[in-house]
Amino acid sequence: MLARNLSINVTILDANTEIDKNPRAAHYAPSAMFDFKRAGILEEVREKGLSPRGVCWRLDDTTFLAGMGRNPDDSELAMRVLPLDQLGPLIVRHFKSYPNTEILWGHKVVGVKQDENGATAIVETADGEKKEVTGDYLVGADGASSGVRTALFGKEYPGETLPQQIVATNVYLPFDERFGYWDSNFIVHPTDWYMAAKITKDGIWRVTYGDDASLSRDEIVKRQPLRYQKILPGHPEPHEYKLVSMSPYKLQQRCAPSFRVGKILLVADAAHLCNPFGGLGLTGGFADVGSLYDCFMGIHQDELDESILDKYSEIRIKIWREMIDPMSRANFHRLWDPACEKEKEEFFKFCDRADKDPVWGKSVAEAVHAVRHDFTQYFKSKQEAGVDAAVTNGASAVKAAA
């Protein structure tokens, strides 16, 4: 957005040598699609992505509990599903099409420094060379183990690691044809909970399930066929599906002390973490990016001063604490926690109403826009326009009274 819309020079430093191909998030809520439009990639995401039909909750024997959103939504900002390893190359291609951009692969941030004129990333290249890259601002978008955040605050990342571990797998196994599954399904069970969601047009499904947190990666990989056979409908043998990829993840709920230190900012997983059930980590990350873009645009156009970056940090942390953290925890506990039975019943009634009333259901889907915050409302021109309007209205009221 900075390069495309404002012709600002942007350099990306990526520790990897290519786009990460591990199974990661894939669902883009309307709030993210809003910024895809501003970035000029909306139409391609809509074309390449899957338009999901419905999300539901089931028992482990496939018994349907509740669901909503079964009717397809073709509106411009409706949710699309496209794995991040496919979205990444799309973004890279668009980014590189602008003359004021640069991507430096194999550049890992190991330190930072700054002064009143700008911020510098101290990087280590893939061949061990140390170098420095300086800009007006430095944005740490480098994930949960962020080198930028670590340079600012040390290794402590306030929050907790949940006792459960999840395993994200991509697999060709037609849940819809074989078992009548919707496009997104959450299976409720004390121990054998999982999610199964269709994530590509050619039939790849994301199956994310829980496993023993004490197991090593090798042990988890070895156990995968047994876990599939135990928890999935039909108890499939390995020859009955095609496993594409898998990756274990620790579940964490964390938030950095601040998303701003001088000219250095944090966004997405570098700034905050939550479990993936409900997609609020990715959704919140894109909302961070949209908010920070507004702030940079305002500074660039002399509509805002740098104090807006403190407000960015304050508001994004508030949204994480009041929306993303509690909602993501509730989404997860709903799958397995017997203490959540009453809440679960109320939630399923909510789903039933949303499913039966399409208009209200659409408003529920669009409520995710609350994760965004429009920082352009603080632009000087808008503030002045508001004052002028108030003065005009006041003068009209005086005239009417006279």
Side-chain angles (χ1 to χ4, degrees):
M1 290 189 287
L2 292 171
R4 174 183 184 263
N5 303 334
L6 302 173
S7 299
I8 289 174
N9 295 331
V10 181
T11 298
I12 293 177
L13 309 171
D14 199 309
N16 290 330
T17 56
E18 61 180 6
I19 296 291
D20 189 344
K21 292 183 171 61
N22 283 320
R24 296 186 296 157
H27 291 71
Y28 308 110
S31 56
M33 298 292 280
F34 173 86
D35 282 315
F36 288 177
K37 183 175 182 178
R38 298 203 290 178
I41 64 171
L42 177 68
E43 290 310 312
E44 192 169 351
V45 171
R46 282 173 53 83
E47 176 190 341
K48 293 182 183 299
L50 173 75
S51 178
R53 292 189 60 192
V55 55
C56 69
W57 286 257
R58 302 175 181 273
L59 295 178
D60 60 328
D61 64 359
T62 76
T63 299
F64 183 86
L65 295 172
M68 57 182 168
R70 188 64 169 154
N71 295 321
D73 183 355
D74 293 324
S75 60
E76 184 183 41
L77 300 183
M79 177 178 281
R80 276 296 190 274
V81 184
L82 186 70
L84 272 176
D85 63 307
Q86 295 183 32
L87 178 69
L90 184 160
I91 291 177
V92 166
R93 178 164 42 79
H94 279 263
F95 181 73
K96 290 171 71 174
S97 72
Y98 304 114
N100 47 317
T101 64
E102 180 181 30
I103 302 179
L104 300 177
W105 296 101
H107 282 60
K108 181 181 180 180
V109 176
V110 295
V112 299
K113 59 184 183 180
Q114 60 179 314
D115 58 28
E116 66 276 6
N117 298 315
T120 298
I122 303 165
V123 302
E124 189 174 280
T125 66
D127 58 9
E129 179 189 359
K130 282 274 185 77
K131 59 196 294 189
E132 296 184 356
V133 182
T134 297
D136 294 322
Y137 298 95
L138 171 62
V139 180
D142 48 345
S145 57
S146 169
V148 176
R149 188 193 64 250
T150 301
L152 294 175
F153 301 112
K155 291 186 176 181
E156 185 176 353
Y157 196 175
E160 64 174 323
T161 299
L162 304 183
Q164 296 87 348
Q165 179 170 215
I166 60 168
V167 185
T169 63
N170 286 349
V171 62
Y172 284 101
L173 177 60
F175 287 86
D176 46 359
E177 297 171 13
R178 291 190 192 177
F179 314 116
Y181 273 23
W182 289 12
D183 283 352
S184 294
N185 308 262
F186 291 94
I187 279 56
V188 178
H189 189 274
T191 57
D192 295 337
W193 45 268
Y194 67 92
M195 180 205 73
K198 191 173 185 179
I199 60 171
T200 67
K201 290 180 176 179
D202 73 340
I204 292 181
W205 286 70
R206 168 68 48 75
V207 176
T208 299
Y209 59 88
D211 213 334
D212 188 337
S214 67
L215 296 175
S216 68
R217 180 184 176 86
D218 288 344
E219 290 171 322
I220 284 173
V221 171
K222 186 177 180 180
R223 276 166 56 95
Q224 176 272 320
L226 292 176
R227 288 296 287 157
Y228 262 31
Q229 192 173 21
K230 184 174 190 298
I231 69 176
L232 298 187
H235 309 292
E237 300 277 356
H239 70 271
E240 297 178 85
Y241 55 84
K242 180 183 177 183
L243 188 69
V244 178
S245 54
M246 68 180 296
S247 186
Y249 294 97
K250 301 289 187 184
L251 296 180
Q252 302 185 71
Q253 308 284 142
R254 299 183 183 277
C255 185
S258 175
F259 295 179
R260 183 211 181 179
V261 177
K263 294 180 180 291
I264 303 174
L265 293 305
L266 298 175
V267 297
D269 283 3
H272 52 80
L273 296 173
C274 69
N275 76 76
F277 294 96
L280 289 168
L282 183 71
T283 300
F286 277 120
D288 292 343
V289 170
S291 292
L292 188 55
Y293 168 70
D294 288 348
C295 295
F296 282 153
M297 174 168 56
I299 293 169
H300 182 68
Q301 297 176 342
D302 197 29
E303 288 274 9
L304 298 167
D305 61 43
E306 280 195 339
S307 66
I308 195 64
L309 299 176
D310 287 327
K311 197 173 190 70
Y312 159 80
S313 176
E314 172 192 334
I315 289 177
R316 296 310 316 168
I317 289 175
K318 185 173 188 287
I319 289 173
W320 183 87
R321 294 197 187 284
E322 296 181 0
M323 180 179 178
I324 294 172
D325 183 46
M327 285 182 65
S328 64
R329 288 177 186 268
N331 290 339
F332 181 45
H333 280 260
R334 194 176 298 125
L335 298 182
W336 57 270
D337 190 347
C340 293
E341 284 303 317
K342 190 174 188 311
E343 183 275 340
K344 190 159 54 181
E345 287 178 14
E346 293 300 316
F347 178 78
F348 289 162
K349 289 178 184 175
F350 172 90
C351 292
D352 190 51
R353 181 187 171 191
D355 196 48
K356 290 177 178 176
D357 183 344
V359 175
W360 192 74
K362 185 173 175 61
S363 71
V364 169
E366 292 177 347
V368 72
H369 281 295
V371 78
R372 296 184 60 253
H373 187 84
D374 179 13
F375 281 81
T376 67
Q377 66 183 291
Y378 307 114
F379 281 15
K380 294 173 187 174
S381 57
K382 290 190 178 182
Q383 297 287 311
E384 290 165 0
V387 170
D388 289 344
V391 170
T392 301
N393 289 340
S396 299
V398 169
K399 184 176 180 181

